[in-house]
Amino acid sequence: YLDVDPSPPGTHTVSYVGTEWVNQSVCDGGVLADRGDCRRNVVERLNLTTGERTRLYAHRMSGGRWHDVDVINDTHILVGDIGNEAVFVVNTTSGIREWTWTAESDLPITGGGDYEEDWVHLNDVEYLDDGRVMVDLRNQDQVAFVDPNRGMVDDWTLGSEDDYEVLREQ
Protein backbone atom coordinates (compact mmCIF):
# COMPACT_ATOMS: atom_id res chain seq x y z
CA TYR A 1 0.00 0.00 0.00
CA LEU A 2 1.34 3.38 -0.97
CA ASP A 3 -1.29 6.01 -0.19
CA VAL A 4 -4.26 6.25 2.15
CA ASP A 5 -6.76 9.14 2.16
CA PRO A 6 -9.99 9.80 4.06
CA SER A 7 -12.87 9.06 1.69
CA PRO A 8 -15.33 10.71 1.86
CA PRO A 9 -14.36 13.24 4.52
CA GLY A 10 -16.14 12.90 7.84
CA THR A 11 -16.66 9.13 7.70
CA HIS A 12 -14.72 6.13 8.94
CA THR A 13 -13.83 5.24 5.37
CA VAL A 14 -10.50 5.48 3.55
CA SER A 15 -9.41 5.01 -0.03
CA TYR A 16 -6.01 3.59 -0.85
CA VAL A 17 -3.80 2.45 -3.71
CA GLY A 18 -1.81 -0.73 -3.56
CA THR A 19 -0.13 -3.31 -5.74
CA GLU A 20 -1.05 -6.96 -6.16
CA TRP A 21 1.48 -9.29 -7.72
CA VAL A 22 -0.44 -11.49 -10.15
CA ASN A 23 0.25 -15.07 -11.17
CA GLN A 24 1.89 -16.21 -14.38
CA SER A 25 -1.29 -17.16 -16.20
CA VAL A 26 -2.55 -13.57 -16.01
CA CYS A 27 0.45 -11.86 -17.61
CA ASP A 28 1.07 -12.41 -21.29
CA GLY A 29 1.16 -16.17 -21.04
CA GLY A 30 3.62 -16.00 -18.15
CA VAL A 31 6.38 -14.13 -20.02
CA LEU A 32 6.31 -11.05 -17.79
CA ALA A 33 5.67 -12.99 -14.59
CA ASP A 34 8.86 -14.99 -15.18
CA ARG A 35 10.76 -11.72 -14.76
CA GLY A 36 8.81 -10.93 -11.59
CA ASP A 37 7.40 -7.82 -13.18
CA CYS A 38 3.68 -8.35 -13.47
CA ARG A 39 1.35 -6.53 -11.15
CA ARG A 40 -2.12 -5.12 -10.76
CA ASN A 41 -2.46 -1.65 -9.29
CA VAL A 42 -5.66 -1.43 -7.26
CA VAL A 43 -7.65 1.46 -5.84
CA GLU A 44 -10.02 0.43 -3.08
CA ARG A 45 -12.27 1.99 -0.47
CA LEU A 46 -12.39 0.47 3.02
CA ASN A 47 -14.99 1.14 5.69
CA LEU A 48 -12.97 0.94 8.92
CA THR A 49 -16.09 0.32 11.01
CA THR A 50 -17.63 -2.55 9.04
CA GLY A 51 -14.57 -3.89 7.19
CA GLU A 52 -16.44 -3.59 3.88
CA ARG A 53 -13.97 -3.26 0.99
CA THR A 54 -14.96 -1.92 -2.44
CA ARG A 55 -12.64 -2.04 -5.43
CA LEU A 56 -12.93 1.27 -7.30
CA TYR A 57 -10.48 0.44 -10.08
CA ALA A 58 -7.72 -1.99 -11.03
CA HIS A 59 -5.24 -2.06 -13.88
CA ARG A 60 -2.79 -4.82 -14.83
CA MET A 61 0.60 -3.65 -16.06
CA SER A 62 4.28 -4.44 -16.14
CA GLY A 63 7.02 -2.08 -15.13
CA GLY A 64 4.86 0.65 -13.61
CA ARG A 65 3.73 1.33 -10.10
CA TRP A 66 1.19 3.82 -8.88
CA HIS A 67 2.54 5.82 -5.97
CA ASP A 68 -0.47 8.01 -5.20
CA VAL A 69 -4.13 8.21 -6.19
CA ASP A 70 -6.72 10.88 -5.46
CA VAL A 71 -10.39 10.04 -5.83
CA ILE A 72 -11.86 13.00 -7.73
CA ASN A 73 -15.50 11.88 -7.73
CA ASP A 74 -17.63 8.74 -8.09
CA THR A 75 -16.29 8.01 -11.59
CA HIS A 76 -12.81 9.55 -11.84
CA ILE A 77 -9.44 9.12 -10.14
CA LEU A 78 -6.14 10.97 -10.49
CA VAL A 79 -3.14 8.63 -10.62
CA GLY A 80 0.53 9.37 -9.92
CA ASP A 81 2.48 6.66 -11.75
CA ILE A 82 6.04 6.59 -10.39
CA GLY A 83 7.16 3.87 -12.80
CA ASN A 84 6.16 5.75 -15.95
CA GLU A 85 6.71 9.28 -14.56
CA ALA A 86 3.19 10.25 -15.51
CA VAL A 87 -0.01 11.62 -14.03
CA PHE A 88 -3.38 10.76 -15.50
CA VAL A 89 -7.11 10.92 -14.90
CA VAL A 90 -8.98 7.70 -15.55
CA ASN A 91 -12.73 7.19 -15.80
CA THR A 92 -13.27 4.22 -13.48
CA THR A 93 -16.54 3.29 -15.21
CA SER A 94 -15.16 3.06 -18.76
CA GLY A 95 -11.49 2.45 -17.96
CA ILE A 96 -10.51 5.22 -20.38
CA ARG A 97 -7.71 7.63 -19.53
CA GLU A 98 -9.18 11.03 -20.20
CA TRP A 99 -6.05 13.09 -19.57
CA THR A 100 -2.34 12.33 -19.22
CA TRP A 101 0.70 14.42 -18.37
CA THR A 102 4.21 12.97 -18.57
CA ALA A 103 7.24 14.51 -16.91
CA GLU A 104 9.09 14.26 -20.24
CA SER A 105 6.69 16.81 -21.71
CA ASP A 106 8.01 19.59 -19.45
CA LEU A 107 11.31 18.50 -17.87
CA PRO A 108 14.77 17.99 -19.37
CA ILE A 109 15.88 14.36 -19.17
CA THR A 110 19.37 15.51 -18.21
CA GLY A 111 18.21 16.54 -14.71
CA GLY A 112 16.95 14.59 -11.74
CA GLY A 113 17.93 11.01 -11.15
CA ASP A 114 19.21 8.39 -13.58
CA TYR A 115 16.92 8.57 -16.62
CA GLU A 116 16.93 4.79 -17.07
CA GLU A 117 16.20 4.01 -13.41
CA ASP A 118 14.54 6.61 -11.16
CA TRP A 119 14.56 9.85 -13.10
CA VAL A 120 11.69 11.80 -11.48
CA HIS A 121 10.48 9.70 -8.54
CA LEU A 122 6.96 11.11 -8.68
CA ASN A 123 5.70 10.85 -5.10
CA ASP A 124 2.42 12.68 -4.63
CA VAL A 125 -0.46 14.05 -6.70
CA GLU A 126 -3.34 16.26 -5.63
CA TYR A 127 -6.36 17.30 -7.67
CA LEU A 128 -7.09 20.95 -6.86
CA ASP A 129 -10.51 22.61 -6.84
CA ASP A 130 -9.59 24.81 -9.82
CA GLY A 131 -8.72 21.77 -11.97
CA ARG A 132 -4.94 22.06 -11.70
CA VAL A 133 -2.92 19.08 -10.57
CA MET A 134 -0.16 19.35 -7.99
CA VAL A 135 2.67 16.86 -8.49
CA ASP A 136 5.70 16.17 -6.32
CA LEU A 137 8.84 15.68 -8.45
CA ARG A 138 11.29 14.45 -5.81
CA ASN A 139 14.44 14.06 -7.88
CA GLN A 140 13.95 17.51 -9.44
CA ASP A 141 13.50 19.07 -5.96
CA GLN A 142 10.16 20.55 -7.06
CA VAL A 143 6.49 20.63 -6.37
CA ALA A 144 4.90 21.55 -9.68
CA PHE A 145 1.42 22.54 -10.73
CA VAL A 146 0.09 21.23 -14.03
CA ASP A 147 -2.75 22.85 -15.94
CA PRO A 148 -4.49 20.10 -17.97
CA ASN A 149 -4.66 22.42 -20.99
CA ARG A 150 -1.22 24.08 -20.80
CA GLY A 151 1.13 21.73 -18.97
CA MET A 152 3.41 22.75 -16.13
CA VAL A 153 2.73 26.24 -14.78
CA ASP A 154 6.24 27.58 -14.17
CA ASP A 155 5.26 30.55 -12.01
CA TRP A 156 3.47 28.18 -9.60
CA THR A 157 6.33 25.70 -9.28
CA LEU A 158 7.93 25.52 -5.84
CA GLY A 159 11.66 24.76 -5.86
CA SER A 160 14.13 24.01 -8.60
CA GLU A 161 16.66 21.30 -9.20
CA ASP A 162 19.53 21.28 -6.69
CA ASP A 163 18.24 24.43 -4.92
CA TYR A 164 18.28 22.74 -1.52
CA GLU A 165 17.42 25.95 0.31
CA VAL A 166 13.81 25.48 -0.86
CA LEU A 167 13.36 21.70 -1.22
CA ARG A 168 15.73 18.75 -1.08
CA GLU A 169 14.31 15.56 -2.55
CA GLN A 170 11.23 15.97 -0.40
Side-chain angles (χ1 to χ4, degrees), residues 48-119:
L48 299 172
T49 303
T50 66
E52 178 185 355
R53 184 182 318 257
T54 305
R55 181 156 294 178
L56 303 177
Y57 186 72
H59 181 74
R60 178 183 53 83
M61 63 191 297
S62 64
R65 188 176 82 226
W66 297 351
H67 216 261
D68 188 23
V69 170
D70 270 12
V71 176
I72 298 172
N73 57 38
D74 290 340
T75 59
H76 291 82
I77 58 174
L78 174 70
V79 176
D81 184 342
I82 187 174
N84 293 303
E85 288 127 356
V87 178
F88 58 89
V89 172
V90 65
N91 181 319
T92 59
T93 303
S94 68
I96 295 173
R97 291 185 185 187
E98 297 182 354
W99 172 78
T100 301
W101 175 82
T102 62
E104 287 178 331
S105 62
D106 282 305
L107 299 171
I109 63 171
T110 55
D114 180 0
Y115 183 71
E116 297 299 323
E117 295 294 324
D118 189 22
W119 172 50

Side-chain angles (χ1 to χ4, degrees), residues 4-160:
V4 178
D5 292 317
S7 174
T11 68
H12 292 71
T13 304
V14 296
S15 61
Y16 59 86
V17 61
T19 303
E20 292 179 334
W21 300 100
V22 295
N23 67 43
Q24 281 183 252
S25 63
V26 175
C27 289
D28 300 328
V31 174
L32 295 174
D34 288 340
R35 293 192 325 235
D37 198 19
C38 188
R39 63 195 89 192
R40 179 179 293 120
N41 291 298
V42 297
V43 180
E44 296 180 335
R45 183 172 286 139
L46 173 65
N47 183 309
L48 299 172
T49 303
T50 66
E52 178 185 355
R53 184 182 318 257
T54 305
R55 181 156 294 178
L56 303 177
Y57 186 72
H59 181 74
R60 178 183 53 83
M61 63 191 297
S62 64
R65 188 176 82 226
W66 297 351
H67 216 261
D68 188 23
V69 170
D70 270 12
V71 176
I72 298 172
N73 57 38
D74 290 340
T75 59
H76 291 82
I77 58 174
L78 174 70
V79 176
D81 184 342
I82 187 174
N84 293 303
E85 288 127 356
V87 178
F88 58 89
V89 172
V90 65
N91 181 319
T92 59
T93 303
S94 68
I96 295 173
R97 291 185 185 187
E98 297 182 354
W99 172 78
T100 301
W101 175 82
T102 62
E104 287 178 331
S105 62
D106 282 305
L107 299 171
I109 63 171
T110 55
D114 180 0
Y115 183 71
E116 297 299 323
E117 295 294 324
D118 189 22
W119 172 50
V120 174
H121 200 100
L122 193 148
N123 267 331
D124 183 43
V125 293
E126 300 291 330
Y127 187 81
L128 305 177
D129 290 340
D130 65 3
R132 286 178 303 154
V133 173
M134 186 218 64
V135 58
D136 175 6
L137 309 169
R138 186 190 81 176
N139 288 346
Q140 279 72 16
D141 308 302
Q142 296 177 15
V143 173
F145 293 82
V146 178
D147 180 303
N149 298 313
R150 298 181 319 165
M152 216 164 102
V153 183
D154 289 330
D155 59 344
W156 275 86
T157 298
L158 173 64
S160 61

